[in-house]
Amino acid sequence: MLLLKRANELLAENKLREAEFMYKSVLKQSPNNGAALFGVGRICMRLEQYDNAIYYLKRACEHLPKMLEPLFALADAFLAVGSPVDAKTVLEYTLSIAKHNAQAHYQLGQFYLDYGFLEQAENVFKAGLDCPHGAVTAFMLYELVQMSKPAALPDYLAMLTKLEDEFEAPRLKTVVYYAKAKCQERLGDYDAAQENFALANDTQLLLSEFRTSDMLPFFESIKQHCGQSFFNRPSDIVKTTFIPVFIVGLPRTGSTLLEQMLVQHSHVGTLGENTVISDQIVPYLCMRNNSAFPACLDQLSNAMLDHCRILYVDEIKRYRVSEEVVINKLPANFQNLGLIYKLFPEAKIIHLTRNLKATAWSVYSNHFAENEPYFCSLSEFALYAQAQSDLMTHFKTFMKNNIYTLSYEQLIAEPEKTIKRCLGFMYQKYEPECLAFHKSKKPVHTLSKAQVRKPISTAPLERWQRYDTFIETMMNPEQNAQTTQANP
C-alpha cells in the first residue's frame, strides 16, 4: 500500500505526527494491519507513551506472527514501564519460536546480563553461536570472552579471527578487535592484546567526527558563564521531597559500583545514567533565552527554574523512584553542575576520581558504542581528563559544601568505611546490605554490569600496570617523541 509506504518513510525521517496520521488512516481501512499497528507502536515508544505502545505492539505481534522486531519492541516497552517479568516472558517466547536466529539469542542474553543472571546469559550467548553468523555474532563473542571459563577462549579466538576476515564495516571490525584483545588478555598474551586494543581504538577513532580539542572552548565558556557573578545571584529557597544526588566524574571511575552499593540502602533509589538535564532541561532554557548552553544560564527566572524542576520530578515519577534519596549517575553531568546548583541548591554531588593511567586504560580497553575521541585514544582521553579536572576545580571553588570527592581506590580498599561516609553525606545511616550489592538483581546497563555481580576485587587496581609503558607513550605522544629525539 502506498499509504503504508509513505508512513514508513515519514517515520524514518522522524516526522512522527505525519507518520502517525498515515498509519491510523491505514488502520481505519484495515484495523488488523500488523505493519500499521507496529508503526504506531514505534511512534508511541519514541514519544515515551509506553502504555499505548504496549497496546499497539501486542496487537502488532498477533498479526505479524513471523516478525521478531515487534516482539523486541514489546519487550522494550515492558522494560520502560518497569515490568521486567513481562519483558523476560516476551524475549523467552521470541527465542522459543526463533531458535536459529542469533538476534533472538542476543536480546535475551543481554536481558539476563542486565539483571544479573550471568549463567543464563552465558548459556544463551553460547547457543547463539550455533546460529548462522552475522554482525550480532561479534557482539555475543565480545560478552562471552569476558565471562566464559579459560578453556573456551581458544575456540572463541579462532571464531573471532575468522570474523575479522569476513567483516568489512569499521564498526564491526572494532568490536572484533576489542573481543580478541580481551580474549588474549585473559589467556596471558599481553603483547597481542595490546596490539588488538590499539587496532580497535584506531579503527573507532576514524569514525569520530570531532576531536577533544574542539570541546575546550565549550568547557572554558562554562567557567565564564558559571563564575562568581553566577553563584552570587540569589537562589530560590527550594524544598524538595527528595534528596537529589549526582555522581559525576570521568568514565570508568567506579560510578556503577558505587551506585549499586548505595541503592541496596532502603532509602536510596536511582535514575541510572539519566540525561533529562541535557535532553530536556537545557533545550528548554536554550529555547526560552534564545541562546545556546551555557549562555542560556545568564538569565534564569524563578518561573524557568520551577519548570525545569518539574521536568526533573516528572522523570523521577516516570522511573517510579519513590525513595528519599534519588541518584543520577551520569558522569558527564560535571558539565551541568552550575545549572544543578540553581535547580537544587542543596544537591549532593559525589565526585569520583581514580588513578589517571588506570582510568585511561579502562576506557581504552573497553568498547564504548559512542564514537567519541576520548573513548578511543589515550592522548585524546588525557586532554579530556585535564579539561574535566579543571572544570571540577572551578566548581569546587563555589560549591565546596555540595561536593564530596571519593576515590575509586578508597572505595575498593575500605568499602564499609567509605560507604558510611558517603551515606552520611546524604544524611543516611549505614545499612550492611550495601556491601551485599553483588547479590542484587537490580538492573545494570553499563559496561560494568557483569563486574558488579561479583564481590569487590583489587584486580582492576593492577591490570593497567602491564601496559604502563604503552599508556605513558600514547598519553603523551609529543613529549615522548621529543624525548626520543633528544635521547636516541
Side-chain angles (χ1 to χ4, degrees), residues 468-480:
D468 188 25
T469 302
F470 176 77
I471 297 169
E472 178 67 29
T473 302
M474 299 301 290
M475 286 185 73
N476 305 285
E478 294 181 4
Q479 176 182 331
N480 282 286

Side-chain angles (χ1 to χ4, degrees), residues 36-325:
L37 290 166
F38 184 34
V40 177
R42 284 184 288 170
I43 290 172
C44 291
M45 287 291 290
R46 293 192 191 181
L47 296 175
E48 298 183 353
Q49 299 171 354
Y50 298 118
D51 290 333
N52 289 337
I54 290 171
Y55 169 76
Y56 282 105
L57 291 171
K58 276 185 175 180
R59 293 185 59 199
C61 291
E62 293 173 4
H63 297 287
L64 297 171
K66 295 183 179 180
M67 284 187 63
L68 302 186
E69 287 78 7
L71 288 163
F72 295 145
L74 180 59
D76 288 340
F78 278 129
L79 289 174
V81 299
S83 184
V85 173
D86 287 321
K88 176 174 176 286
T89 300
V90 171
L91 291 173
E92 288 178 341
Y93 168 75
T94 305
L95 185 57
S96 74
I97 64 170
K99 293 181 179 179
H100 301 293
N101 184 285
Q103 188 68 38
H105 286 82
Y106 181 71
Q107 294 289 121
L108 179 57
Q110 279 296 332
F111 174 87
Y112 285 146
L113 197 54
D114 287 350
Y115 283 83
F117 300 102
L118 302 189
E119 184 177 350
Q120 291 93 322
E122 182 181 357
N123 290 336
V124 170
F125 287 141
K126 286 169 65 177
L129 297 181
D130 293 331
C131 301
H133 288 181
V136 75
T137 307
F139 289 89
M140 287 192 291
L141 283 166
Y142 178 78
E143 302 293 356
L144 282 168
V145 298
Q146 299 177 78
M147 63 194 319
S148 297
K149 294 180 179 179
L153 297 181
D155 288 341
Y156 294 155
L157 187 58
M159 294 176 69
L160 287 163
T161 301
K162 185 177 180 182
L163 288 177
E164 180 184 346
D165 295 332
E166 294 177 0
F167 290 155
E168 294 296 333
R171 178 171 175 266
L172 293 179
K173 280 205 176 278
T174 296
V175 176
V176 171
Y177 290 142
Y178 272 115
K180 286 184 68 175
K182 287 185 172 292
C183 189
Q184 289 160 337
E185 184 175 60
R186 290 193 63 201
L187 290 169
D189 190 350
Y190 302 118
D191 289 339
Q194 178 179 298
E195 181 180 342
N196 274 295
F197 279 132
L199 283 170
N201 282 272
D202 291 347
T203 303
Q204 189 170 15
L205 185 61
L206 293 174
L207 301 175
S208 178
E209 298 179 353
F210 67 99
R211 290 296 180 264
T212 307
S213 58
D214 299 331
M215 302 174 64
L216 299 184
F218 169 70
F219 288 132
E220 287 301 315
S221 69
I222 293 176
K223 297 177 189 177
Q224 294 169 10
H225 290 280
C226 297
Q228 187 72 58
S229 61
F230 175 86
F231 284 97
N232 281 347
R233 290 178 218 151
S235 297
D236 288 354
I237 299 175
V238 180
K239 292 184 178 180
T240 59
T241 58
F242 63 98
I243 300 173
V245 174
F246 297 84
I247 300 175
V248 302
L250 293 170
R252 306 299 296 170
T253 53
S255 62
T256 300
L257 173 61
L258 178 62
E259 176 206 38
Q260 285 302 296
M261 296 175 81
L262 292 175
V263 296
Q264 307 312 313
H265 193 284
S266 58
H267 295 162
V268 180
T270 183
L271 295 173
E273 294 189 352
N274 192 278
T275 58
V276 62
I277 293 177
S278 56
D279 289 353
Q280 295 185 45
I281 293 176
V282 167
Y284 164 76
L285 293 174
C286 292
M287 180 270 296
R288 284 295 305 269
N289 291 325
N290 194 30
S291 57
F293 183 85
C296 64
L297 304 181
D298 291 346
Q299 301 293 328
L300 294 177
S301 68
N302 289 344
M304 290 181 198
L305 291 171
D306 284 341
H307 180 75
C308 293
R309 292 185 193 106
I310 290 171
L311 291 175
Y312 200 85
V313 171
D314 285 346
E315 193 75 356
I316 293 173
K317 292 178 180 177
R318 185 168 78 85
Y319 277 81
R320 295 174 169 83
V321 181
S322 58
E323 289 82 3
E324 178 184 359
V325 176

